[in-house]
Amino acid sequence: LRFFGGHTADVTSLDFSPDGRLLATGGADATVQLWDLEERRLVRPLAWFEPGPKPFPDAMLPRVGGVSFSPRGDEIACTADGIWLLTPSSRSLPRRLDHWAYSLAWAPDGEYLIGCHTGSLFSLDPARGDVRWEQSAGRYGYHPQTKIGFLERGAAVYVMDADGISIRDPLTGRVTWTWPPDQIDWSPVVGGASRDAGVLSMAMLSD
């Protein structure tokens, strides 16, 4: 067991590089840090985000809400006062995409991102910043604990939130399957996907 010290506030998100050698962490201190797991050291802070205008009243800024390595490991996408693309191998400045999200994930081919904020789920072209599709949230909207990702090598998108689990078409964002039935009142606690993204699991509290 190894403890790393570098953030000055709570760590809010983390992700491993595809080769397992690096770890990226985002924190409530508005920073993204890069760690070398083999040498067990901090490589360097990748970004620090100053407070900016809120995209909607309940947005919590500049807290880093999510970090995600690209499948090739050459970029890290993170959320703060927007979606930012960082380059772990150089000291180049972060590139900001004109969108905002609580959570995000790369497609397995690295060609696009999916993200969610309070009102919608969307797909984004990271090279051009264009939105490929956008779909409205469910009854309760999305929140910082919403989990999103891909199943079966990109064949489907999953969303875990206060509405339950939904499976969506990656080309359109449309819902193809949901659980649980509407009559069940419940509160999600934590969830995730297996390493090969073939199995989903979720813990919940039922009223």
Side-chain angles (χ1 to χ4, degrees):
L1 182 64
R2 176 80 179 189
F3 292 93
F4 295 91
H7 288 280
T8 59
D10 292 344
V11 173
T12 56
S13 55
L14 55 83
D15 193 30
F16 292 93
S17 63
D19 61 9
R21 296 178 59 188
L22 299 174
L23 176 70
T25 57
D29 58 359
T31 68
V32 177
Q33 312 273 4
L34 185 67
W35 309 85
D36 187 314
L37 298 179
E38 292 184 343
E39 298 183 7
R40 300 184 177 184
R41 65 178 178 86
L42 175 66
V43 178
R44 67 179 184 279
L46 285 180
W48 179 78
F49 300 100
E50 296 184 7
K54 293 186 177 184
F56 36 84
D58 66 341
M60 297 179 292
L61 300 176
R63 175 189 182 99
V64 176
V67 293
S68 179
F69 268 97
S70 68
R72 292 183 293 271
D74 58 343
E75 288 186 298
I76 298 171
C78 72
T79 66
D81 58 340
I83 296 175
W84 297 80
L85 296 179
L86 314 175
T87 306
S89 61
S90 73
R91 296 185 180 274
S92 59
L93 293 175
R95 179 164 62 91
R96 187 180 190 275
L97 304 180
D98 190 20
H99 220 74
W100 199 87
Y102 282 136
S103 303
L104 47 75
W106 288 89
D109 62 6
E111 294 299 316
Y112 63 97
L113 290 159
I114 56 169
C116 68
H117 56 69
T118 299
S120 68
L121 177 77
F122 59 87
S123 174
L124 191 66
D125 180 342
R128 302 176 58 182
D130 297 336
V131 175
R132 302 167 74 244
W133 52 256
E134 189 163 9
Q135 296 287 347
S136 297
R139 293 173 297 173
Y140 303 109
Y142 299 129
H143 49 82
Q145 289 73 44
T146 298
K147 302 289 185 182
I148 60 176
F150 288 86
L151 294 174
E152 299 176 350
R153 299 182 180 179
V157 170
Y158 71 84
V159 180
M160 298 181 179
D161 61 6
D163 284 306
I165 301 174
S166 65
I167 305 300
R168 294 171 176 261
D169 184 328
L171 298 179
T172 65
R174 293 175 182 168
V175 175
T176 59
W177 182 84
T178 60
W179 187 92
D182 290 340
Q183 65 266 26
I184 296 179
D185 293 324
W186 74 305
S187 300
V189 178
V190 66
S194 63
R195 189 173 184 85
D196 62 359
V199 177
L200 293 176
S201 63
M202 176 177 280
M204 69 181 194
L205 297 175
S206 181
D207 297 332

